[in-house]
Amino acid sequence: MEIQQLDFDFSVCKVADYSQVNLEDIFCFTGKTDEENSLVCLTGRVPANATARDDGWKAFRIGGVLDFSLIGILSGIAAVLAGAGIGIFAVSTYNTDYIFTKKENYDKAAAALSAAGYTVI
């Protein structure tokens, strides 16, 4: 399985509302619940109305479009990274999954995934 490294810096945020979020940005992941408005975006694009933010994330994208019938893709990757002592933040889209690690663990995560048989590009 191919895992793509994305050469961007990301932030995980809570926002008061989405009025200042540019939904046309290249990467913009939102999640709304009865308790919060979450946002994952490029660090340089964090809106002024962010009420909390955690900078310093890098991302991997699982290559290709994943069929909904596939089982264990994300859990397998998470297990490899957990075994290497690396925490993750995951986001799923209709097509695929994105795995975020802190910058200081990114190269170690890529090496662990490669050692586990994933093709990291």
Side-chain angles (χ1 to χ4, degrees):
M1 174 166 290
E2 185 177 282
I3 299 179
Q4 302 164 348
Q5 294 180 278
L6 302 179
D7 191 24
F8 300 97
D9 293 327
F10 290 89
S11 296
V12 179
C13 314
K14 288 200 306 188
V15 293
D17 57 52
Y18 295 111
S19 64
Q20 297 180 19
V21 175
N22 182 352
L23 297 175
E24 299 301 318
D25 278 344
I26 185 170
F27 291 102
C28 178
F29 304 94
T30 61
K32 181 174 177 48
T33 71
D34 61 333
E35 296 180 341
E36 66 178 308
N37 299 315
S38 291
L39 171 69
V40 179
C41 64
L42 299 175
T43 298
R45 303 295 295 177
V46 173
N49 68 343
T51 59
R53 66 186 282 175
D54 190 46
D55 299 332
W57 294 88
K58 299 289 281 182
F60 297 97
R61 173 175 42 210
I62 299 174
V65 176
L66 302 178
D67 188 271
F68 287 120
S69 66
L70 296 174
I71 298 170
I73 302 296
L74 186 56
S75 67
I77 293 168
V80 167
L81 297 178
I86 300 168
I88 67 167
F89 182 87
V91 174
S92 295
T93 66
Y94 190 91
N95 283 349
T96 194
D97 297 319
Y98 293 79
I99 298 93
F100 297 85
T101 67
K102 292 301 275 189
K103 274 187 196 182
E104 60 268 18
N105 294 321
Y106 196 64
D107 291 337
K108 182 180 174 184
L113 291 166
S114 290
Y118 294 96
T119 301
V120 180
I121 60 169

